[in-house]
Amino acid sequence: AEGVKETVTVRPGETLVVDFGQNHAGVPSFTVEGPRGAELAVKFVEMLNDEGGLRSRGCDGPGGTPYVTALRGTTAHVRYVSDGTRRLYRPANTFFGYRYAAFTVTDPMTLSGIRAHVVTSVRRDTGRIVTGDKSVNRLISNCVWGMYSNYLSIPTDCPQRNERLGWTGDTQVFSRTACYAADAKGFLSKWLDDLCDFQREDGAYPDLAPIGSWDKKYCWYGITGWADAGIIVPYNLWQMYGDLEPVRRHWKSMLRYADFLEKNRGPADCFGDWLAF
């Protein structure tokens, strides 16, 4: 998406807010020039503060400024230090969840060619619904773009804040929708391998997969509505693509979880607040 085509000079005390018109997971690129040692800071957010920045509406700053509360513990920003030459900048080892980018500087700097590049693991769309109601069409588009943003390497819960984790509850509840909208078979099949890699010896599935060292503080096992993804996702892939291979491949794993449920009946292990188990 083209954000700003023309050259813009940003000065200390000013903020250039660029609206790319669509919330997405992606990386920015821009050409920047400024004096040696000058710093450019870029914040990435999904929405701006509105209604004059009223605290009663949950705003965290004046109207039109980046709303950063939703980022929680993550910084989600770029810090660029100029070497005094004109350069094209595009980060190579990260991504952001955003619609808006806010640029501030320590010294006057010129920017041009500000663009946003969508990144996703969705390779091919396979279905779309169009109705006579613009609001419904917008809702459908939001669902599809939510899939683009969260189907990146693993099926995450969000692309913008300090999680980006492969929550099993989010995955199982959206997996059938994903199969209608995109060719999601390979993506979800790969994720099932991740899930099985972290299945506990007693058969319980974790509430997220894969699990890194930082993720362990979020990790619970056998949670109703989350761990069930180990059975629901292979079933949905079979139903949607007519291929039994995902079920065959994970059958023993599925049986181990079913045995776990037989031995551990009861309503204690459920979150019960995000999804209706």
Side-chain angles (χ1 to χ4, degrees):
E2 192 81 49
V4 177
K5 297 181 180 180
E6 64 272 15
T7 298
V8 179
T9 298
V10 183
R11 296 174 176 80
E14 298 177 337
T15 300
L16 171 65
V17 178
V18 178
D19 180 2
F20 292 101
Q22 173 62 57
N23 199 26
H24 65 283
V27 294
S29 69
F30 48 85
T31 298
V32 56
E33 184 176 10
R36 185 178 182 83
E39 295 186 14
L40 169 69
V42 192
K43 290 183 179 179
F44 302 93
V45 295
E46 294 184 311
M47 60 186 293
L48 304 178
N49 288 301
D50 62 3
E51 294 293 323
L54 295 177
R55 294 285 178 174
S56 60
R57 289 179 54 84
C59 293
D60 58 15
T65 62
Y67 176 72
V68 298
T69 299
L71 298 178
R72 303 202 303 201
T74 191
T75 49
H77 72 262
V78 161
R79 177 174 173 265
Y80 176 87
V81 181
S82 175
D83 64 357
T85 64
R86 185 172 184 266
R87 290 186 178 273
L88 173 65
Y89 177 80
R90 176 175 174 174
N93 299 304
T94 190
F95 71 93
F96 305 95
Y98 66 106
R99 171 176 170 174
Y100 302 93
F103 297 78
T104 56
V105 297
T106 60
D107 301 89
M109 303 182 78
T110 59
L111 297 164
S112 61
I114 302 173
R115 298 180 63 89
H117 305 269
V118 175
V119 292
T120 181
S121 294
V122 177
R123 298 182 62 186
R124 185 168 65 94
D125 294 336
T126 55
R128 188 67 60 89
I129 299 172
V130 178
T131 76
D133 189 308
K134 292 183 179 179
S135 296
V136 174
N137 291 338
R138 181 73 252 185
L139 174 61
I140 295 168
S141 176
N142 289 349
C143 292
V144 172
W145 275 95
M147 176 181 65
Y148 294 157
S149 296
N150 285 291
Y151 276 25
L152 178 58
S153 182
I154 60 173
T156 58
D157 61 322
C158 58
Q160 86 288 6
R161 67 178 188 231
N162 63 334
E163 283 194 56
R164 305 182 183 186
L165 303 177
W167 288 104
T168 50
D170 303 58
T171 305
Q172 65 92 350
V173 80
F174 191 77
S175 58
R176 183 168 291 212
T177 301
C179 293
Y180 276 112
D183 183 2
K185 181 181 176 184
F187 179 81
L188 291 172
S189 295
K190 179 268 177 187
W191 178 80
L192 283 172
D193 290 340
D194 293 337
L195 182 64
C196 289
D197 285 344
F198 291 95
Q199 187 176 19
R200 207 164 58 184
E201 290 185 3
D202 63 0
Y205 290 114
D207 58 4
L208 58 90
I211 304 169
S213 58
W214 184 85
D215 308 330
K216 290 181 179 179
K217 62 182 179 180
Y218 289 112
C219 191
W220 296 64
Y221 280 83
I223 302 297
T224 303
W226 277 253
D228 304 329
I231 289 179
I232 292 174
V233 174
Y235 176 82
N236 282 345
L237 288 176
W238 167 39
Q239 293 294 299
M240 295 299 294
Y241 294 104
D243 184 359
L244 269 172
E245 179 57 28
V247 176
R248 292 193 185 101
R249 182 178 177 86
H250 299 286
W251 183 248
K252 292 182 179 179
S253 173
M254 295 162 70
L255 288 180
R256 287 173 58 202
Y257 178 59
D259 290 340
F260 167 82
L261 293 177
E262 286 288 340
K263 297 174 183 177
N264 297 274
R265 294 184 177 183
D269 292 328
C270 60
F271 294 140
D273 49 359
W274 293 282
L275 298 178
F277 57 85

